[in-house]
Amino acid sequence: MTTSTDKSADTARVWKRAAYGGLVVAGVILVFGQTSFVTAVVAGLVAFAAGGYLGGRMTAAAQQAEARGNLAEDIRADVAQSAPAPMAEPEVVNVVAEPEPVEIVAEPEPVATVAEPEAEEEMKLVQPSKVLPGEAELAARKGSWRYEGNSATA
């Protein structure tokens, strides 16, 4: 990025580079292309115009971004100066509490209980399915036919 503030120098530099680009395009077309001299000149002029226009827009955008960056830094500095001074940090006191003694009580042996049949049914998450209507008919209609594919000999 350029640091100069003279816009005319930046503009001249952009158009100078665009002219070199147009000459390179025209030269490449003349050497490697199978076209006439006029076609190479026209292509060079188009490259020159496009390079100058786009380069000028890019330079202007870069200068605006740089100006916005400087403005943002100025605003940050003003805000930092006007901000109140930070308060003193509170004093940290390390307090370690002693654990209370825990009484260990022996638990009685678990007693095995006999589960009722109703309780077992409630615990089952998946119930066996019922016989669906028409399932027997479908099984009766099903024949012994099976698909046997031809062996691939091709």
Side-chain angles (χ1 to χ4, degrees), residues 16-112:
K16 189 176 183 181
R17 288 179 181 169
Y20 289 141
L23 288 174
V24 168
V25 168
V28 167
I29 289 177
L30 276 176
V31 172
F32 295 109
Q34 296 179 355
T35 59
S36 66
F37 177 76
V38 174
T39 304
V41 169
V42 169
L45 288 174
V46 168
F48 166 69
Y53 175 73
L54 294 175
R57 293 199 35 124
M58 288 174 41
T59 303
Q63 288 174 351
Q64 287 177 354
E66 183 179 334
R68 277 183 290 196
N70 293 341
L71 179 63
E73 289 174 10
D74 293 342
I75 292 172
R76 278 191 224 113
D78 290 341
V79 168
Q81 289 174 358
S82 65
M87 296 178 60
E89 294 184 20
E91 184 178 324
V92 178
V93 178
N94 291 330
V95 177
V96 178
E98 294 184 22
E100 296 179 16
V102 179
E103 293 183 29
I104 299 175
V105 178
E107 294 184 15
E109 295 282 331
V111 179

